Amino acid sequence: MVSNPVHGLPFLPGTSFKDSTVLKFDAYFQEDVPMSTEEHYRIRQVNIYYYLEDDSMSVMEPVVENSGIPQGKLIKRQRLTKNDQGDHYHWKDLNRGINLTIYGRTFRVVDCDRFTQVFLESQGIELNPPEKMALDPYTELRKQPLRKYVTPSDFDQLKQFLTFDKQVLRFYAIWDDTDSMFGECRTYIIHYYLMDDTVEIREVHERNNGRDPFPLLMNRQRMPKVLVKNAKNFPQCVLEISDQEVLEWYTAKDFIVGKPLTILGRTFFIYDCDPFTRQYYKEKFGISDLPRIDVSKKEPPPVKQELPPYNGFGLIEDSVQNCFVLVPKAPKKDVIKMLVNDNKVLRYLAALESPIPEDKDRRFVFSYFLASDMISIFEPPVRNSGIIGGKYLGRTKVAKPSSTAEDPIYYGPTDFFIGAVIEVFGHRFIILDTDDYVLKYMENNAAQYSPEALLSIQNRIQKQEAPAPELEKEKHQEIENVAQLPDYPELSEQGTACPESGSTFTGAKERPWSVEQELSKQTREDPPGVQELEALIDTIQKQLKDHPCKDNIHEAFQIYDQEASGFVDKERFFKICDSLNLPIDDSLIKELIRLCSHGEDKINYYDFVRAFSN
């Protein structure tokens, strides 16, 4: 028994096969070509497949490249009828040398493959001898060489080819199309082949230019320079231009550096060439001067970005970020400067320069933070002044009035000295005094300050050290005025105590002593620091009201003041304050500590504790 060459199993009648079992036959059909003078009919070769699984058939035509005929699957897989009664083709009806009529088209079966032949013979079918596949007469005609009738030319093209083979003139050109909408200036390379006088134009691509990487703008071909008069109507897009339509072609002498050249409606300007081209023009045409022409266009100056005017909200650097990006980011900070100058604050006493009489006696404390160059202003409350004190300006950078939003110039530590005028958002302040830390800072950084600032500090120190002659003069004047008062009544020898004044008079003889005591009481005036201290104590007492922490605070300080001097060290003072958790604002605490400071290292805790009494 014959076995299947595919899977090796024997062929058994009446058994079913898998889908991979297919019978293949070679066939052809004849197709009429009514509208052609070169061919009357056409032979088309096909393959007929029979699927044993479901008795279906399909017809496939092998694809021939450039045939111009739709090829491939002619009849998709299906069961095909063989007569009018509706009977379908069966594999028993197939054989070599027979005609199959499918959908009105007659197919001539000429041969089959080896597997089909073995299968049919195993089923007891006698196969006809194979036939020769019919050939298409037009296809065979095209395979024959064409007869050429060429008139020999006087020009020896072979000599030109052998002489100038592989010699190419290279020119660098630009096409300036900036006058049109969306036009641009593009660069090209023009190749002129000396062997056959053909021209090729190649594109020069730049990285990320957004264009498809087409290498050629124009293929290699001969370019006409002058056409005949009637050649304008010649169908150039369909037929090639011959010498009959052209009076003159482009040659090597037409390509000169520095001259424009029109090719295919585009005007190219040649601005350079390679060294071989320069040498060729020097030997052939005697042109030795072919300098490179600079065609690079100067970029226009960048448009300066105009920032909108500052609206007064936030910092200038922070507000400007909205003009640069859609999602603004916080401006960068100098971290090293913040770490070095952490907790370093310069404090100044200032007065408001204002035409309003009520503002002349107002005093302000300027705090300059060296870590962030920010300024805060605090107005100490003054009792019965009619003005609410407290925070006048929160921490912020203050720009000088002469600066702009594009280039802001902020106030620095060198701008603050006694007598300086500081303008803060339209309000002018005059610096009157500084604290001791500012003097130390200016002494350590004297090179940063102007001579005017150093002179103002020097004058302040001299005034503090020099005696006050005017105060002495006023004191003597008061003594003389009191001496002219009426005599006191005579007193007993023992003397009488005056409970109201707290003084004891012993007689008229000792009047000078009592006069001096009374004068000292009358002429004693509270300095401005005492007035501020009293006003600040009053403010803190209003906030605390009946807070029961006075005794604890006093006892905490007395533990470390063994001598009962009323003063403690600053370091120990701050440790006690941290352990007490005082229930008031930090700004008031800092101002109270400043007013209670005694020298550089001591603090008067008596005045500090008084602020927490009822």
Side-chain angles (χ1 to χ4, degrees):
M1 182 178 292
V2 181
S3 62
N4 191 336
V6 177
H7 44 67
L9 300 176
F11 290 115
L12 298 177
T15 59
S16 60
F17 296 90
K18 296 183 179 180
D19 188 31
S20 59
T21 306
V22 183
L23 305 182
K24 178 183 177 184
F25 297 90
D26 299 332
Y28 69 89
F29 68 95
Q30 180 176 325
E31 182 182 29
D32 295 335
V33 183
M35 301 180 64
S36 177
T37 58
E38 297 181 356
E39 56 178 343
H40 302 286
Y41 64 92
R42 185 179 297 126
I43 300 298
R44 300 178 62 176
Q45 301 175 4
V46 298
N47 295 325
I48 300 176
Y49 297 93
Y50 186 92
Y51 301 89
L52 296 175
E53 180 185 17
D54 53 359
D55 297 331
S56 59
M57 300 176 63
S58 65
V59 180
M60 304 289 291
E61 181 181 8
V63 178
V64 179
E65 188 177 0
N66 296 329
S67 64
I69 302 173
Q71 295 174 324
K73 184 182 294 186
L74 298 182
I75 300 175
K76 65 181 181 179
R77 179 177 174 180
Q78 56 184 301
R79 298 190 67 184
L80 302 176
T81 58
K82 62 180 178 180
N83 50 34
D84 296 339
Q85 286 76 21
D87 298 334
H88 296 87
Y89 279 106
H90 194 262
W91 56 269
K92 297 180 181 179
D93 301 328
L94 303 180
N95 202 335
R96 292 186 294 201
I98 63 173
N99 293 331
L100 297 178
T101 303
I102 303 174
Y103 294 130
R105 180 172 291 176
T106 302
F107 295 88
R108 180 68 178 179
V109 181
V110 295
D111 201 356
C112 63
D113 59 355
R114 176 64 180 170
F115 173 77
T116 304
Q117 179 180 354
V118 172
F119 174 75
L120 294 179
E121 290 177 351
S122 65
Q123 301 300 320
I125 298 177
E126 185 179 355
L127 294 178
N128 298 329
E131 298 180 358
K132 188 177 181 180
M133 177 66 70
L135 301 177
D136 183 32
Y138 181 74
T139 303
E140 297 298 322
L141 180 64
R142 291 292 300 270
K143 292 181 180 180
Q144 297 179 4
L146 298 176
R147 298 181 62 184
K148 298 182 179 179
Y149 302 93
V150 180
T151 302
S153 175
D154 298 337
F155 181 75
D156 191 355
Q157 294 183 355
L158 179 60
K159 181 180 179 180
Q160 180 185 7
F161 174 79
L162 296 176
T163 304
F164 299 105
D165 185 23
K166 298 182 180 181
Q167 296 185 11
V168 183
L169 304 180
R170 174 176 292 184
F171 302 92
Y172 302 95
I174 60 171
W175 175 47
D176 192 358
D177 191 36
T178 55
D179 295 336
S180 61
M181 183 180 295
F182 308 113
E184 57 182 343
C185 185
R186 302 178 60 184
T187 57
Y188 295 91
I189 296 177
I190 301 177
H191 289 160
Y192 185 87
Y193 295 86
L194 295 174
M195 57 178 291
D196 54 358
D197 297 327
T198 54
V199 180
E200 178 189 67
I201 302 178
R202 304 185 69 88
E203 294 189 7
V204 178
H205 294 281
E206 298 179 357
R207 188 175 183 180
N208 297 329
N209 59 358
R211 296 184 176 275
D212 293 334
F214 292 118
L216 295 178
L217 176 67
M218 185 189 74
N219 290 328
R220 180 178 173 182
Q221 56 183 303
R222 295 187 68 186
M223 290 304 302
K225 183 179 180 181
V226 181
L227 300 175
V228 297
K229 295 182 179 181
N230 298 329
K232 294 182 179 180
N233 300 328
F234 184 79
Q236 302 179 12
C237 60
V238 179
L239 301 178
E240 295 182 357
I241 297 177
S242 61
D243 294 337
Q244 298 178 358
E245 290 82 19
V246 180
L247 295 179
E248 184 179 358
W249 298 89
Y250 274 111
T251 57
K253 63 181 179 180
D254 297 321
F255 296 84
I256 304 297
V257 176
K259 294 184 178 180
L261 190 69
T262 303
I263 300 177
L264 297 178
R266 296 188 181 186
T267 301
F268 296 89
F269 180 77
I270 302 175
Y271 65 89
D272 197 7
C273 60
D274 61 351
F276 173 77
T277 305
R278 286 190 172 90
Q279 185 66 24
Y280 177 81
Y281 272 79
K282 183 178 180 180
E283 296 176 356
K284 183 71 175 178
F285 305 105
I287 303 175
S288 59
D289 188 14
L290 292 175
R292 174 185 172 89
I293 300 175
D294 187 12
V295 294
S296 60
K297 292 186 178 180
K298 297 181 179 180
E299 296 184 359
V303 179
K304 186 178 180 181
Q305 186 177 10
E306 296 183 0
L307 299 177
Y310 178 56
N311 56 7
F313 295 97
L315 298 178
I316 297 178
E317 294 87 348
D318 197 9
S319 301
V320 164
Q321 297 298 322
N322 296 276
C323 305
F324 297 148
V325 292
L326 292 177
V327 181
K329 298 181 180 179
K332 295 183 178 180
K333 298 180 180 180
D334 192 350
V335 181
I336 299 178
K337 180 179 179 182
M338 294 175 65
L339 295 176
V340 173
N341 299 319
D342 189 23
N343 295 330
K344 293 183 179 180
V345 184
L346 307 179
R347 291 183 175 86
Y348 306 87
L349 180 65
L352 180 61
E353 185 181 13
S354 174
I356 302 175
E358 290 78 5
D359 294 339
K360 293 184 178 179
D361 296 332
R362 299 175 66 181
R363 294 296 180 264
F364 300 87
V365 178
F366 276 67
S367 298
Y368 187 90
F369 300 89
L370 294 174
S372 58
D373 295 331
M374 291 188 177
I375 300 173
S376 67
I377 304 176
F378 177 81
E379 183 179 6
V382 179
R383 192 172 185 178
N384 296 329
S385 64
I387 299 175
I388 301 175
K391 184 185 291 186
Y392 188 81
L393 177 67
R395 283 193 187 186
T396 183
K397 289 185 177 181
V398 179
K400 295 183 179 180
S402 59
S403 63
T404 59
E406 294 83 359
D407 188 16
I409 302 175
Y410 297 103
Y411 280 107
T414 58
D415 298 323
F416 290 83
F417 55 88
I418 297 176
V421 178
I422 307 297
E423 184 172 343
V424 180
F425 302 117
H427 299 275
R428 294 169 61 87
F429 296 87
I430 301 176
I431 304 298
L432 301 179
D433 199 358
T434 63
D435 61 357
D436 295 338
Y437 182 75
V438 176
L439 300 179
K440 291 183 179 179
Y441 181 81
M442 294 182 67
E443 182 180 357
N444 297 331
N445 302 275
Q448 301 179 5
Y449 286 86
S450 61
E452 181 183 2
L454 299 177
L455 182 60
S456 65
I457 299 300
Q458 185 179 1
N459 295 336
R460 174 185 179 275
I461 297 174
Q462 290 177 357
K463 287 181 181 180
Q464 289 180 351
E465 295 178 353
E470 296 181 356
L471 295 178
E472 293 293 334
K473 188 181 295 183
E474 291 179 0
K475 182 177 180 181
H476 288 295
Q477 185 67 29
E478 292 293 337
I479 292 174
E480 293 176 359
N481 294 336
V482 174
Q484 297 175 1
L485 293 174
D487 294 338
Y488 288 94
E490 294 183 0
L491 301 175
S492 61
E493 294 181 359
Q494 289 83 5
T496 305
C498 181
E500 296 180 358
S501 62
S503 302
T504 302
F505 294 90
T506 58
K509 294 180 180 180
E510 296 183 4
R511 180 179 295 179
W513 179 86
S514 61
V515 168
E516 287 186 1
Q517 190 175 15
E518 289 294 329
L519 181 60
S520 63
K521 290 182 179 180
Q522 292 178 7
T523 59
R524 185 187 300 126
E525 296 179 358
D526 293 337
V530 177
Q531 295 179 2
E532 295 179 10
L533 177 60
E534 296 297 333
L536 184 58
I537 291 174
D538 184 62
T539 303
I540 296 176
Q541 288 179 351
K542 288 181 179 180
Q543 290 188 5
L544 293 177
K545 293 183 180 179
D546 298 329
H547 198 277
C549 64
K550 172 193 172 186
D551 296 335
N552 296 336
I553 296 175
H554 193 74
E555 292 175 0
F557 285 108
Q558 282 182 343
I559 294 174
Y560 298 98
D561 187 14
Q562 301 294 338
E563 299 177 358
S565 60
F567 300 97
V568 294
D569 296 337
K570 279 189 176 181
E571 182 178 359
R572 193 171 300 279
F573 177 82
F574 287 123
K575 290 181 179 179
I576 297 173
C577 290
D578 293 340
S579 63
L580 294 176
N581 296 327
L582 301 178
I584 58 175
D585 297 339
D586 291 342
S587 60
L588 297 179
I589 281 286
K590 292 180 181 179
E591 186 64 19
L592 180 61
I593 294 173
R594 186 183 69 83
L595 296 177
C596 295
S597 299
H598 182 76
E600 298 181 359
D601 301 328
K602 300 290 185 179
I603 293 179
N604 186 356
Y605 70 87
Y606 283 165
D607 293 337
F608 184 81
V609 172
R610 273 197 313 119
F612 299 92
S613 63
N614 296 331

